[in-house]
């Protein structure tokens, strides 16, 4: 879990329909930018811009997939598990819970905290 330093910017990002579609579709299964473009009904450059912003908050990760013709491509996976919004006397606080893949949990177990 982590607190978000700029809750307004994250709220703005999550208010974007394209960003939300990317998060939902990439949570179902890892997807390429082209697949996400089709799902969201927007251009690939638009998807790449949203992915960049989502990666700033560690809400998505990218994995490089090798293919036989030598060209690699990237698959994007949602790491977001839960968002909690709290109203305090100082304003809003957002806490983000991220999914951790089994390999990441194993690495942390072996290497320690």
């Amino acid at each position: 879990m982590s607190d978000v330093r700029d809750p307004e910017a994250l709220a703005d990002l999550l208010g974007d329909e394209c960003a939300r579609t990317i998060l939902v579709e990439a949570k179902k299964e890892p997807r390429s930018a082209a697949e996400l473009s089709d799902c969201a009904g927007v251009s690939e450059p638009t998807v790449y811009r949203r992915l960049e912003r989502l990666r700033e908050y560690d809400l998505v990760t990218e994995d490089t997939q090798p293919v036989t013709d030598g060209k690699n491509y990237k698959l994007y996976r949602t790491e977001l598990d839960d968002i909690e919004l709290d109203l305090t006397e100082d304003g809003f606080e957002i806490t983000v819970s991220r999914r951790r893949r089994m390999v990441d949990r194993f690495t942390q177990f072996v290497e320690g905290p």
Side-chain angles (χ1 to χ4, degrees):
M1 265 195 266
S2 68
D3 291 324
V4 175
R5 288 180 175 61
D6 189 355
E8 291 84 14
L10 179 57
D12 182 54
L13 176 59
L14 294 175
D16 181 80
E17 185 176 347
C18 178
R20 289 192 315 270
T21 300
I22 289 169
L23 288 170
V24 169
E25 294 301 325
K27 185 170 183 139
K28 293 176 185 174
E29 65 182 81
R31 300 201 184 254
S32 68
E35 290 171 320
L36 292 169
S37 173
D38 289 342
C39 292
V42 298
S43 68
E44 282 189 48
T46 298
V47 166
Y48 281 116
R49 285 192 296 274
R50 293 314 182 285
L51 285 167
E52 184 176 326
R53 291 186 63 205
L54 291 165
R55 284 197 321 259
E56 288 173 13
Y57 290 96
D58 297 322
L59 301 180
V60 295
T61 57
E62 67 179 39
D63 295 315
T64 302
Q65 299 295 312
V67 290
T68 56
D69 66 1
K71 294 182 180 178
N72 297 331
Y73 68 98
K74 295 179 182 177
L75 292 178
Y76 298 90
R77 172 191 325 272
T78 298
E79 296 298 324
L80 174 64
D81 192 38
D82 187 44
I83 294 180
E84 184 178 316
L85 178 65
D86 293 310
L87 176 60
T88 68
E89 292 178 3
D90 297 325
F92 288 99
E93 291 180 6
I94 296 179
T95 304
V96 176
S97 300
R98 292 172 181 82
R99 295 176 7 171
R100 291 189 359 208
R101 294 182 292 173
M102 182 61 74
V103 68
D104 297 332
R105 292 192 304 244
F106 180 75
T107 300
Q108 183 178 10
F109 173 76
V110 171
E111 295 177 356

